[in-house]
Amino acid sequence: QVQLVESGGGLVQPGGSLKLSCAASGSIFNINAMGWYRQAPGKQRELVAKITSTGSVNYADYVEGRFTISRDNAKNTVYLQMSSLKPEDTAVYYCNAVIRRSALSPLREYWGQGTQVTVSS
């Protein structure tokens, strides 16, 4: 009943920029938080950034000011603006959302299908 659709991935050169987006749709009462995780080959999935419904943000240390997460609550959409990209940023990026589907429902976690980001010359 809830679907997360990601877009914006692709191939960029080192030092380039890319903007990812993720839109949540379906039966949604409230989105508590949305965020981005990534997983490189042979590595575990790790947090990139997350943002709550009130605007509080949390970034991984390796972001080092290069990424910016934002959210459009009216559109149930989260964005990740990535700049100064490095080859080590290459990974599949996954959208994550914590959603309450009704006033009486508990919070549940949902994942997008993932979008490939490749940083290479």
Side-chain angles (χ1 to χ4, degrees):
Q1 297 184 39
V2 174
Q3 187 175 12
L4 304 180
V5 180
E6 301 154 324
S7 63
L11 174 65
V12 296
Q13 295 185 348
S17 299
L18 202 63
K19 187 175 183 178
L20 307 181
S21 64
C22 172
S25 62
S27 180
I28 299 173
F29 178 77
N30 178 65
I31 299 179
N32 180 259
M34 299 186 78
W36 293 92
Y37 291 72
R38 72 185 189 185
Q39 187 169 22
K43 296 185 178 180
Q44 295 188 132
R45 187 175 300 183
E46 61 182 2
L47 173 71
V48 179
K50 63 180 179 181
I51 184 169
T52 70
S53 60
T54 59
S56 297
V57 299
N58 182 208
Y59 294 100
D61 289 340
Y62 62 77
V63 168
E64 300 176 338
R66 299 179 299 124
F67 299 173
T68 300
I69 188 169
S70 61
R71 180 176 175 179
D72 186 334
N73 290 338
K75 297 181 179 180
N76 291 331
T77 300
V78 65
Y79 306 92
L80 184 67
Q81 177 65 57
M82 303 185 291
S83 301
S84 301
L85 285 163
K86 306 174 181 179
E88 49 263 44
D89 293 321
T90 296
V92 177
Y93 285 69
Y94 295 91
C95 180
N96 173 269
V98 179
I99 296 173
R100 193 186 303 276
R101 295 188 293 112
S102 74
L104 300 178
S105 299
L107 292 169
R108 294 187 179 185
E109 192 173 45
Y110 299 87
W111 291 93
Q113 78 286 350
T115 183
Q116 178 70 46
V117 172
T118 302
V119 184
S120 176
S121 60

